[in-house]
Amino acid sequence: MKVAITGVGETAFLRKGAQPLLHMVAEAGLKAIADAGLTPADIDGFIGNRNVPASDDVGYALGVKERLFSACTDVAGGAAPAGQALLLAEMAIRAGLAKHVLVFYGIQSTRPGGVYSYHAREPQKAAFEMPVGYFGQPAYFAAMANRYAHDHGLSEEELASVSITYRRWAELTPSAQRREPMDLEGYRRSPMISTPLRAADCCLTTDGAGAYIVSAVERARDMPHPVVEVAAVSMAMNNWPHGIVFTQKPNIYEVPGAESARRAYEQAQVSPDDIDLAQVYDGFSISAIVQTEMLGLCERGEGARFYHRGDAAPGGRKPVNTSGGHMSGGYVPGINLLIEGVRQLRGGEGARQVPNARLCAVAGLGGNSHSTTILARA
Amino acid sequence: MGIPNYAVHLDNPAMQGFYEGLAAGELRISIDPESGNWLWYPPEVIPGRPDAVVGWKKASHAGAAYSFTTIIRSLLPGDHSAEVPFTVVLFEPDDAPGVRVPGVLVEADGVEPACGMRLEFVALPVGDHHIAGFRPAG
């Protein structure tokens, strides 16, 4: 039995919002339910994540009647929960445990303690990294970028082209958080955080939430939108604990994306050449470069030049992050990328619509885990 | 260039060996107590042997930078704006390939940091503790 994503919903993406996390998750959930042509009473499966309110609270806030199936994903941070949740939803539907599963996620980047406070709880980071000032994602990913540059070459213009590409997509996306045009000079005006990464190379600080509905393809055919089938979803992990993963991996910029992509392409029986567009977890420009390569959109070591050539930009041969990604669209780790993939395959996204989009790959990175999802318009 | 000043928090006393080494002017790296192999960072639990505790051994003070970054905006909790910029290097001792010790690049005015640059360990006193420092070799 194949499953489809039958409803999607998001809140506004704000630099600082006024609503608590549960409120935002409920708003996104209700939008996804309405988008699927359903009511809260039709939702019988719930999948959240350890970083958001549990389905006990979300179900009540949505006004649902019964929860036949609920689960909580445990993968940290980023987009990998999108893949992990999708796997669970697929299993629940195939097992007959639920008919329509709501997957929800949200983030309050502006909550007290700051967006990087969780790093300080890692004993190795507190012991060996914080005393020398090596702290926070931009520092870790900056060291990755310098090592990548040593191994493959990476000019300032090539690095800049990643965030400039995503900003061009955001300009075409009404809901994107940062829509003002940015060229190379604008990139150079962006404050340097940790060399070579500027603020423009980093994901946004966002308060927001997203949600989607998973249903059997057979049911999806009778629902409001064109069917967007989950052709494959695959996870891979490198088994390095979070306190170690940013410094001690044999190659610090490698993530398990090549393996998750290989499995997903095999499962979907397609190749990278077949992909019409992709959504790539862009916590930082360097992590987007590496995952773009791992998806097979270009050769290893050529990711930055892929962006610099314009291949991922509007009108390019392999559009990437078509709503601005996490660096310009909004940072609701992973889930807003998956939602954009669904919207593109449905069609009708106006100026940013990728013509004849049939297959979309979604790459998600979270801590030491990675997911690749292949969405297909049935 | 500045020097970061942030308190050392050791949740696990097994990590103390590193700082005992710094106080003695040595770069000490954790080892597997059975095999004697480097085991860095010291894990909270040695895989498969939760009762085992890491040992410590002096590593070479000569090595190379695996990677680096110059911190312009410190994201450490609190106000550390007076301490930037400074360059953090991930140092690989010559006798411990794959072990990476984060530390601060010092005595490097006019030197452009680079992956592979030869470095030498130095213990840097900061407040009431020491941190790992690395200066260009030669």
Side-chain angles (χ1 to χ4, degrees), chain A residues 28 77 139 155-156 172 176 179 184 205-206 214 250 254 271 309 319 323 343 366-367:
Chain A
S155 70
E156 183 197 27
L172 305 174
R179 300 186 66 201
L184 183 59
T205 298
T206 300
V214 184
E254 286 288 307
S271 78
R309 282 196 302 268
S323 59
R343 287 183 171 143

Side-chain angles (χ1 to χ4, degrees), chain A residues 116 123-124 126-132 135 138 142-143 146-147 150 192-195 243 247-252, chain B residues 4 6 9-10 15 18-19 40-44 66-73 75-77 86 88 100 102 115 131:
Chain A
Y116 302 122
Q124 289 98 345
F128 306 117
E129 297 178 4
M130 294 178 75
V132 298
F135 182 73
N146 282 324
R147 185 67 199 190
H150 173 79
M192 184 68 79
I193 306 295
S194 190
T195 62
T247 56
Q248 309 300 322
K249 278 187 299 184
N251 181 331
I252 56 170
Chain B
Y6 190 81
H9 295 282
L10 297 179
M15 296 176 180
F18 181 74
Y19 286 95
W40 180 257
Y41 296 145
E44 289 185 83
Y66 172 78
S67 193
F68 66 94
T69 181
T70 299
I71 308 290
I72 308 298
R73 181 181 164 202
L75 297 170
L76 286 168
F86 55 86
V88 175
R100 308 207 183 104
C115 297
I131 62 173

Side-chain angles (χ1 to χ4, degrees), chain A:
Chain A
M1 179 195 295
K2 288 279 189 184
V3 298
I5 297 180
T6 51
V8 296
E10 297 162 312
T11 63
F13 299 149
L14 303 171
R15 173 64 179 79
K16 181 167 178 53
Q19 303 294 353
L21 191 53
L22 178 60
H23 186 114
M24 293 191 292
V25 168
E27 180 187 332
L30 288 170
K31 286 180 174 173
I33 292 166
D35 183 59
L38 301 173
T39 70
D42 297 315
I43 305 301
D44 49 8
F46 296 81
I47 300 176
N49 178 261
R50 63 179 180 167
N51 294 323
V52 296
S55 60
D56 293 350
D57 299 309
V58 174
Y60 179 81
L62 294 174
V64 302
K65 287 184 175 174
E66 195 170 24
R67 286 183 288 124
L68 297 176
F69 174 81
S70 66
C72 178
T73 56
D74 69 347
V75 171
Q84 194 181 26
L86 205 43
L87 278 172
L88 285 166
E90 197 172 56
M91 289 166 62
I93 290 167
R94 283 180 177 166
L97 298 174
K99 292 186 177 69
H100 300 291
V101 178
L102 174 73
V103 179
F104 51 90
Y105 196 75
I107 189 167
Q108 266 186 312
S109 298
T110 54
R111 71 184 180 280
V115 70
Y116 302 122
S117 59
Y118 68 97
H119 288 302
R121 295 194 291 270
E122 298 287 350
Q124 289 98 345
K125 290 180 181 177
F128 306 117
E129 297 178 4
M130 294 178 75
V132 298
Y134 192 56
F135 182 73
Q137 303 282 78
Y140 312 144
F141 282 84
M144 294 179 202
N146 282 324
R147 185 67 199 190
Y148 180 97
H150 173 79
D151 293 345
H152 300 293
L154 179 63
S155 70
E156 183 197 27
E157 289 80 1
E158 288 167 350
L159 182 65
S161 67
V162 178
S163 54
I164 291 171
T165 296
Y166 297 162
R167 184 61 60 87
R168 287 185 61 195
W169 283 112
E171 288 175 43
L172 305 174
T173 306
S175 62
Q177 198 174 330
R178 296 290 301 271
R179 300 186 66 201
E180 69 278 16
M182 181 177 70
D183 58 11
L184 183 59
E185 288 311 306
Y187 171 84
R188 286 176 170 146
R189 285 193 297 273
S190 174
M192 184 68 79
I193 306 295
S194 190
T195 62
L197 300 186
R198 299 177 179 276
D201 291 298
C202 306
C203 61
L204 298 173
T205 298
T206 300
D207 287 351
Y212 59 89
I213 311 289
V214 184
S215 316
V217 164
E218 289 73 16
R219 293 183 193 279
R221 294 194 180 106
D222 298 324
M223 296 170 77
H225 296 286
V227 177
V228 175
E229 180 183 297
V230 179
V233 54
S234 167
M235 291 191 71
M237 54 200 66
N238 60 25
N239 212 27
W240 292 88
H242 290 171
I244 290 175
V245 71
F246 291 123
T247 56
Q248 309 300 322
K249 278 187 299 184
N251 181 331
I252 56 170
Y253 59 78
E254 286 288 307
V255 298
E259 181 58 22
S260 79
R262 186 192 65 75
R263 292 175 186 166
Y265 285 129
E266 186 176 294
Q267 190 181 338
Q269 298 187 305
V270 298
S271 78
D273 288 343
D274 299 321
I275 295 297
D276 298 310
L277 74 158
Q279 312 297 328
V280 174
Y281 187 87
D282 54 329
F284 296 89
S285 46
I286 180 61
S287 46
I289 289 168
V290 171
Q291 291 173 88
T292 298
E293 297 170 5
M294 289 175 166
L295 269 183
L297 303 185
C298 59
E299 296 295 316
R300 292 305 313 269
E302 290 297 315
R305 289 177 276 278
F306 170 85
Y307 282 93
H308 193 235
R309 282 196 302 268
D311 288 350
R317 68 180 184 87
K318 294 283 183 187
V320 177
N321 287 359
T322 50
S323 59
H326 291 327
M327 287 163 56
S328 281
Y331 183 61
V332 189
I335 200 162
N336 54 322
L337 300 182
L338 193 78
I339 288 170
E340 170 63 7
V342 172
R343 287 183 171 143
Q344 283 284 346
L345 295 181
R346 286 177 177 177
E349 290 305 312
R352 77 173 192 279
Q353 177 65 49
V354 175
N356 305 314
R358 309 291 300 186
L359 277 175
C360 176
V362 185
L365 173 63
N368 54 18
S369 299
H370 194 274
S371 70
T372 300
T373 302
I374 311 280
L375 301 173
R377 178 161 170 163

Side-chain angles (χ1 to χ4, degrees), chain B residues 41-103:
Chain B
Y41 296 145
E44 289 185 83
V45 174
I46 295 179
R49 288 176 286 144
D51 294 332
V53 179
V54 295
W56 294 87
K57 189 167 83 173
K58 179 178 178 292
S60 172
H61 288 188
Y66 172 78
S67 193
F68 66 94
T69 181
T70 299
I71 308 290
I72 308 298
R73 181 181 164 202
S74 174
L75 297 170
L76 286 168
D79 181 9
H80 295 270
S81 56
E83 298 158 15
V84 295
F86 55 86
T87 297
V88 175
V89 295
L90 300 178
F91 172 82
E92 286 192 340
D94 284 344
D95 59 357
V99 163
R100 308 207 183 104
V101 183

